[in-house]
Structures are given as structure tokens and as C-alpha cells.
């Protein structure tokens, strides 16, 4: 039997071993006490570390979505950034190249929002003129109602009773609570300001992740290997592959759908075809939601031009594009990168969107990819 000398500790802090002839009951008690002290200290350090981790998460809880968005942007753009960095000459790439990539990604989001703002301002001005004219002369019956196959008389009677007379329109507009509208506008303004702040923090996070990406990757691998071993690294790689697949399957496919439908809107003569193409692209990033935008454009085309054939053509073409994208292209891109079945992909996207809103479009497939990998490892037959 070998015992250890508590007064001669090794490099790990444990007493050095000694022979059984040197051991006695008091030495054994000291050794056991030393081991218990070491175990107590390890538990105390773990509890203290967990406490500060939870405290840190509670402190930045309002900005956690921004941090996650910054990580998603960094993971999605890292392959292209690494390729550009290898071709970049000089030391300026340490700051200038991350800044250029950050500005480019920010412009991808700011550009459509600026377009929306300009179009919304123009539409608001036109709406104010329309309401002012409606107060004095009423709202005339649209021509497209006369082309409807059913319900012409009922719609015409209701319209003449409630909207044709200027007095009825003034009473309808006057019944709206102006004070409540002002309150809603103020709340909307504060929410917009808060979202802008969160977006700015996400972009700032992206810049520092790109700038210090090598150091962050190295430290993350060291922590993963120390805490979970090589399996933890596999889980991280699976989540990264899922984010890449989600970006390709959701963002790129959505942009493709929006471009195709923008051309269709332009050919059919729909108002603001480029703007509604962007709306369709954003809606198409969520499976089955592009049909809402396409139907709205078709209805607007029917109201403004009265061309029933053009509206039906947009709906039919939109349904075909959505079917091909959601049932063939998107599952192949998302599931192909992680070997995820289609049902797992769909559950991750829809469940993530319901639980985490827009951020869940990327977190949902990543979580399902990890669960699918764990399921395969646990369900594999071992003999």
C-alpha cells in the first residue's frame, strides 16, 4: 500500500506518495483532510464561476439578442472574410478589412430600410392628400369592383352607404381616437430607437469578432476541449455548419425568390415592383410566409389596375416559386450541410421563429442539428 506525504506536494498540489512503512493513522487523516479541502475548493470555485456567469448574463440580458446576431453575422461571413484576408496585402487588414466587411453587412440591412423609409414617406403624403379629398368629396367606387364575378351589388351598396358621402367619411375619420394614435406613434418611435440601438450593438460585435476572430476561435476551442473534450468541438462545428446552411437556405433563397417576384411584379405592372420585391424577399426568409406578401401585391394590383388576369398570374407564379424553394432548394441547402432530415429542418425553423422571433430562424436549425447529432450518437448500435 502506498501513501503520500502531505508536506511534500507534487506539481498538481497533491501530497507526494510515500511508502506504507512511513504511513501512520495521523498521516492518513491528514491526507484525507487535504483531499477533502481540495474537493471543497474546486466545488466553491465552480459555484463562484457559475454565479458570475449568471450575473454577467443577467447584466447583459437586454443585449443578448444583439450578441447572438453579431455571432451569426460573423459565422456567416467568416469564410468570405478569411478568403479576402488571405489576398489582402499589408497590415491594414487587421482593422480596415473588418471595418469594410462590417459596413457592407450593415448596408445590406440599412439599404432596404432606407428604401422603406423613403417609400413610406411618399405613401404617407399621398395618403394625407387622399384623406383630405375624401373629407370633401367622399371616396368614389373603384372600377375593379364592377369586374368581380360575385358580390358586386352587396359591395356597391355598402360602399355607397358608408364611403361615398363626404359626411359619412368625415364621421368615420372623426371617430378615430387622435390621442390614442399619438400614443401609439410615441411607443412606435421608442421601439424603433431601441431596435436601432440593438442593431448598432450587433454590428459593433461583428466588427470585433472579425477583427479578433483568430484569437476568439482559439480560445473557444481551448475552452471546449477542456470542458467537453473532442465531442464538444464536434457540437460546435455542427452548429456552425447549421448557421452556414441556414444563411444559404433562408437568406439567399429568400433573396432569390424576391428577385424573381420583383421581375414578375414589373412585368405585371404592379406598383413599386422593386420595393415589394424586397418585401417578398424578407417574407420568403420564413417558410410559407412569402405567399402573404405575394397575395398583398396581387390584391393591390387588382385594386389599382383592375387586371384580374395579372393578379392571378402573380399568385400562380408565386405559389410555384414558393413550392420549389420551400420543398426542394431550402431543405437541400440547410439539411445538406448538417445531414438533417426535412422534418427536423422545418421544425427547427418554425419552432425557432415562434420561440425566438427572427433570431430563431438561425438558432432553431442549429439546436435541431445538435439534437440530431446527439440522437445519432446515442441510438447507434454498440456490440
Amino acid at each position: 500500500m502506498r501513501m503520500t506525504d502531505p508536506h511534500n506536494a507534487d506539481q498538481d498540489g497533491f501530497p507526494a506518495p510515500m511508502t506504507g512503512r512511513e504511513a501512520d493513522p495521523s498521516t492518513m487523516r491528514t491526507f484525507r483532510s487535504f483531499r477533502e479541502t481540495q474537493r471543497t475548493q474546486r466545488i466553491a470555485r465552480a459555484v463562484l464561476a457559475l454565479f458570475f456567469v449568471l450575473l454577467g448574463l443577467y447584466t447583459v440580458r437586454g443585449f443578448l439578442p444583439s450578441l447572438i446576431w453579431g455571432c451569426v453575422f460573423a459565422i456567416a461571413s467568416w469564410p468570405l472574410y478569411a478568403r479576402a484576408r488571405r489576398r489582402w496585402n499589408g497590415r491594414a487588414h487587421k482593422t480596415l478589412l473588418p471595418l469594410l466587411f462590417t459596413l457592407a453587412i450593415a448596408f445590406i440591412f440599412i439599404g432596404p430600410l432606407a428604401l422603406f423609409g423613403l417609400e413610406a414617406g411618399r405613401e404617407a403624403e399621398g395618403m394625407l392628400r387622399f384623406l383630405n379629398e375624401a373629407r370633401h368629396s367622399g371616396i368614389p367606387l373603384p372600377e375593379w369592383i364592377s369586374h368581380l364575378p360575385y358580390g358586386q351589388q352587396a359591395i356597391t351598396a355598402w360602399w355607397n352607404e358608408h364611403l361615398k358621402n363626404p359626411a359619412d367619411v368625415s364621421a368615420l375619420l372623426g371617430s378615430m381616437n387622435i390621442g390614442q394614435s399619438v400614443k401609439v406613434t410615441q411607443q412606435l418611435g421608442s421601439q424603433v430607437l431601441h431596435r436601432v440601438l440593438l442593431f448598432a450593438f450587433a454590428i459593433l460585435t461583428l466588427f470585433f469578432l472579425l477583427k479578433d476572430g483568430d484569437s476568439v476561435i482559439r480560445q473557444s476551442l481551448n475552452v471546449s476541449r477542456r470542458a467537453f473534450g473532442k465531442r464538444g468541438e464536434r457540437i460546435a462545428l455542427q452548429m456552425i455548419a447549421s448557421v452556414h446552411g441556414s444563411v444559404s437556405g433562408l437568406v439567399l433563397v429568400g433573396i432569390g425568390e424576391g428577385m424573381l417576384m420583383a421581375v414578375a411584379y414589373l412585368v405585371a405592372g404592379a406598383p413599386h415592383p422593386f420595393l415589394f420585391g424586397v418585401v417578398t424577399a424578407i417574407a420568403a426568409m420564413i417558410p410559407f410566409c412569402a405567399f402573404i406578401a405575394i397575395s398583398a401585391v396581387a390584391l393591390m394590383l387588382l385594386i389599382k389596375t383592375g387586371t384580374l388576369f395579372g393578379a392571378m398570374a402573380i399568385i400562380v407564379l408565386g405559389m410555384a416559386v414558393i413550392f420549389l424553394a420551400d420543398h426542394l432548394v431550402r431543405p437541400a441547402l440547410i439539411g445538406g450541410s448538417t445531414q438533417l432530415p426535412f422534418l427536423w429542418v422545418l421544425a427547427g425553423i418554425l419552432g425557432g421563429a415562434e420561440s425566438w422571433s427572427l433570431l430563431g430562424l438561425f438558432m432553431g436549425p442549429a439546436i435541431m442539428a445538435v439534437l440530431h447529432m446527439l440522437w445519432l450518437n446515442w441510438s447507434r448500435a454498440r456490440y
Side-chain angles (χ1 to χ4, degrees), residues 5-264:
D5 183 3
H7 303 289
N8 185 18
D10 59 11
Q11 61 180 355
D12 295 327
F14 294 101
M18 63 182 178
T19 62
R21 183 177 298 177
E22 298 171 345
D24 55 23
S26 62
T27 302
M28 293 178 63
R29 286 194 298 270
T30 304
F31 173 73
R32 291 170 181 167
S33 176
F34 181 82
R35 294 298 297 268
E36 291 177 357
T37 301
Q38 290 286 323
R39 184 166 57 251
T40 303
Q41 290 177 352
R42 285 197 298 269
I43 295 174
R45 286 196 299 268
V47 172
L48 183 63
L50 180 61
F51 170 75
F52 277 103
V53 168
L54 295 177
L55 186 63
L57 292 176
Y58 178 78
T59 303
V60 300
R61 67 190 184 278
F63 291 91
L64 278 179
S66 299
L67 290 172
I68 298 175
W69 272 118
C71 293
V72 170
F73 295 155
I75 292 173
S77 60
W78 183 258
L80 184 61
Y81 170 75
R83 189 181 309 167
R85 189 177 58 177
R86 286 193 297 267
R87 298 182 179 180
W88 191 279
N89 296 323
R91 297 181 179 179
H93 72 275
K94 294 183 178 180
T95 302
L96 182 58
L97 190 60
L99 180 61
L100 292 177
F101 265 77
T102 302
L103 293 177
I105 293 176
F107 180 76
I108 292 175
F109 294 92
I110 295 176
L113 290 177
L115 180 63
F116 280 130
L118 293 175
E119 292 294 338
R122 295 172 185 172
E123 293 295 334
E125 183 180 359
M127 181 61 68
L128 290 176
R129 287 199 303 267
F130 173 77
L131 292 178
N132 188 31
E133 293 176 0
R135 286 178 180 272
H136 295 86
S137 58
I139 303 176
L141 183 69
E143 296 182 0
W144 60 270
I145 294 180
S146 60
H147 300 287
L148 292 177
Y150 302 102
Q152 297 181 18
Q153 296 180 354
I155 295 176
T156 302
W158 182 90
W159 196 284
N160 293 332
E161 183 179 355
H162 295 88
L163 299 177
K164 190 174 182 179
N165 191 348
D168 295 334
V169 176
S170 299
L172 178 64
L173 296 178
S175 63
M176 298 181 181
N177 192 342
I178 299 178
Q180 185 68 22
S181 301
V182 172
K183 183 179 179 181
V184 171
T185 304
Q186 292 176 349
Q187 293 177 353
L188 180 62
S190 63
Q191 286 294 323
V192 169
L193 181 61
H194 180 66
R195 301 297 178 186
V196 170
L197 180 61
L198 292 180
F199 177 75
F201 191 78
I203 292 300
L204 188 64
T205 303
L206 169 65
F207 170 75
F208 284 105
L209 286 177
L210 292 178
K211 180 177 178 293
D212 304 322
D214 294 329
S215 176
V216 172
I217 292 173
R218 184 175 60 255
Q219 294 171 3
S220 300
L221 288 177
N222 291 336
V223 171
S224 176
R225 289 167 182 168
R226 179 175 297 178
F228 308 107
K230 291 185 177 181
R231 292 190 176 182
E233 185 176 347
R234 289 177 56 193
I235 291 176
L237 292 176
Q238 187 79 348
M239 294 185 68
I240 292 174
S242 175
V243 171
H244 284 298
S246 298
V247 170
S248 301
L250 297 176
V251 179
L252 298 184
V253 173
I255 293 175
E257 291 185 49
M259 293 175 62
L260 289 176
M261 296 311 303
V263 174

